[in-house]
Structure formats: C-alpha cells, structure tokens
C-alpha cells in the first residue's frame, strides 16, 4: 500500500487487533493542526461534545499488537471531505427538496420535499461510502512510536 504524499499524523495506543485492522485509542483529539494553515479546527468542535478517549478502527499496515504505541496517518483534507459528504450534501438535498416542494405544493410540499430530498441524498451518500476502500487512502498505522 502506498503512503499518502500529504498527511497528518496522530499518536495512539493499539487496544485491539482484528482482521487486519487495529482499534487505536488516540492520545490527542484530531491532528493537532487546528491553529495552523490548512487545519480544519475539528478538534475544537469535538472537545465540546466528547471528553472521553477516542478510539478508531484503522488499517494495521505494520502488524501492531495491543499495547503498542503507534503513529497513524490521516490523509490531508479527509476530515473536510468526509464532513462535506456527511453534512453538506444532505443539507443541499434538504434545501433543494424544500424549494422544489414549495414550488409545486406550497408549505406542505416544502416540508415533504425537504424530507425526501435530504433523506434521498443521505441514503445515496451512505450507500456510496459504506463499502471497504471507498475512502481511499484510509487512515492507517505508519509506524510504531516510542512510548
């Protein structure tokens, strides 16, 4: 597997390994680039909603074992792309559906159109992204770290 040319890294501890994937508990929230150019600020937002440790399934490309301290690579821009898919496109579907529904059937049509538009786009996004390998390159372990 090729390493991404541009990526952010985070440090974590492997908590479990299964089927070529590792469950990694991240030591810090996000990539730590919140205040740098190109940083998305996601850590600041997530800290409001989630104070506990964060664990993620990542590709175990180095054969790490539970308890190993590792470095995980996350492709540059993947958080922004994922947020756009998860929130941006369905929001556009809601707005587009509401406008179309209002044009054809007034307020009631607007509500129905918003529900239909948002639900349809959300279902499409979910269907397109649920298979393995659809978010390429996926976050993966690039190295073992000193503890």
């Amino acid at each position: 597997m090729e390493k991404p040319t541009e990526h952010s890294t985070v440090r974590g501890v492997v908590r479990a390994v299964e089927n070529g994937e590792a469950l990694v508990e991240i030591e810090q929230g996000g990539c730590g680039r919140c205040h740098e150019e190109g940083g998305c600020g996601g850590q600041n937002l997530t800290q409001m909603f989630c104070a506990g440790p964060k664990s993620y399934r990542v590709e175990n490309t180095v054969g790490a074992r539970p308890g190993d301290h590792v470095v995980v690579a996350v492709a540059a821009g993947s958080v922004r792309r994922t947020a756009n898919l998860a929130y941006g496109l369905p929001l556009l579907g809601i707005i587009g559906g509401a406008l179309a529904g209002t044009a054809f059937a007034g307020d009631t049509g607007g509500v129905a159109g918003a529900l239909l538009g948002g639900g349809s786009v959300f279902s499409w996004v979910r269907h397109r992204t649920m298979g393995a390998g659809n978010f390429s390159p996926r976050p993966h372990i690039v190295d073992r770290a000193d503890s």
Side-chain angles (χ1 to χ4, degrees), residues 84-110:
N84 286 340
L85 278 174
Y87 300 107
L89 287 179
L91 180 61
L92 289 175
I94 290 169
I95 293 169
L99 291 172
T102 301
F104 287 108
D107 289 345
T108 303

Side-chain angles (χ1 to χ4, degrees), residues 30-36 38-48 79:
C31 68
R33 295 182 57 211
C34 284
H35 303 293
E36 294 178 17
C40 71
Q43 178 181 0
N44 297 331
L45 180 63
T46 59
Q47 294 304 315
M48 271 191 290
V79 173

Side-chain angles (χ1 to χ4, degrees), residues 43-66:
Q43 178 181 0
N44 297 331
L45 180 63
T46 59
Q47 294 304 315
M48 271 191 290
F49 301 111
C50 180
K54 294 151 197 77
S55 298
Y56 302 95
R57 290 203 176 276
V58 301
E59 289 185 24
N60 187 5
T61 55
V62 299
R65 296 184 179 155

Side-chain angles (χ1 to χ4, degrees), residues 122-145:
F122 177 80
S123 295
W124 178 82
V125 168
R126 184 168 181 196
H127 173 74
R128 297 277 300 163
T129 59
M130 288 303 286
N134 286 326
F135 284 108
S136 183
R138 292 183 57 206
H140 60 283
I141 298 173
V142 293
D143 199 5
R144 288 185 176 88

Side-chain angles (χ1 to χ4, degrees), residues 3 41 69 101:
K3 293 181 184 176
H69 290 259

